[in-house]
Amino acid sequence: VQLAESGGSSVQAGGSLRLSCVVTGSLGRHYCMGWFRQSPLKGREVVATVDGDGITRYADSEQGRFTVSQDNAKSTLFLQINSLKLEDTSMYYCAALRVRRTPCPISPAEYYYWGQGTQVTVSV
């Protein structure tokens, strides 16, 4: 399984971005996928997760501005970010894990497959 993120960009505060993560290979029916972000101050933290049944989970601090979704073929994971803030500046990673668990884990250490990341930079 390989993951490839795209969609990161430099944007102004208040704007929106849609990140994509293309999945190559099969995760099977039972899996968890997540978006994580990493910054020097906070380390790597979860933004949102979704499982093979479409059940989503969000970091408590991010509900409302972030929306995680998958395409019908479940070959691409998306993260819609609205009302971008300066503190959203980070490298964003998607990750995956073959597991049947609801809700999905939020610890990065539990995820096995990782993409290379896509940079989001927010400015005034």
Side-chain angles (χ1 to χ4, degrees):
V1 174
Q2 292 183 322
L3 308 177
E5 304 94 335
S6 64
S9 181
S10 296
V11 295
Q12 288 189 323
S16 298
L17 275 179
R18 190 190 198 200
L19 307 182
S20 299
C21 173
V22 175
V23 182
T24 304
S26 175
L27 289 170
R29 180 180 175 184
H30 302 297
Y31 61 85
C32 282
M33 291 197 70
W35 284 101
F36 296 80
R37 61 185 180 184
Q38 183 161 359
S39 62
L41 286 178
K42 296 185 177 181
R44 190 167 294 194
E45 59 180 0
V46 68
V47 175
T49 66
V50 61
D51 67 16
D53 292 321
I55 297 173
T56 58
R57 181 181 188 181
Y58 295 90
D60 290 341
S61 61
E62 307 304 346
Q63 290 192 16
R65 295 194 303 119
F66 291 74
T67 303
V68 62
S69 62
Q70 303 175 94
D71 66 349
N72 288 337
K74 298 184 178 179
S75 61
T76 306
L77 184 71
F78 301 101
L79 183 68
Q80 178 72 35
I81 313 173
N82 298 325
S83 302
L84 279 156
K85 304 177 180 179
L86 296 178
E87 53 263 42
D88 292 325
T89 295
S90 276
M91 184 72 81
Y92 284 73
Y93 297 90
C94 70
L97 171 68
R98 288 194 181 104
V99 69
R100 186 175 189 175
R101 189 192 307 180
T102 298
C104 288
I106 60 172
S107 170
E110 297 199 54
Y111 285 79
Y112 186 78
Y113 302 101
W114 289 86
Q116 295 300 306
T118 187
Q119 178 68 39
V120 173
T121 303
V122 185
S123 59
V124 295

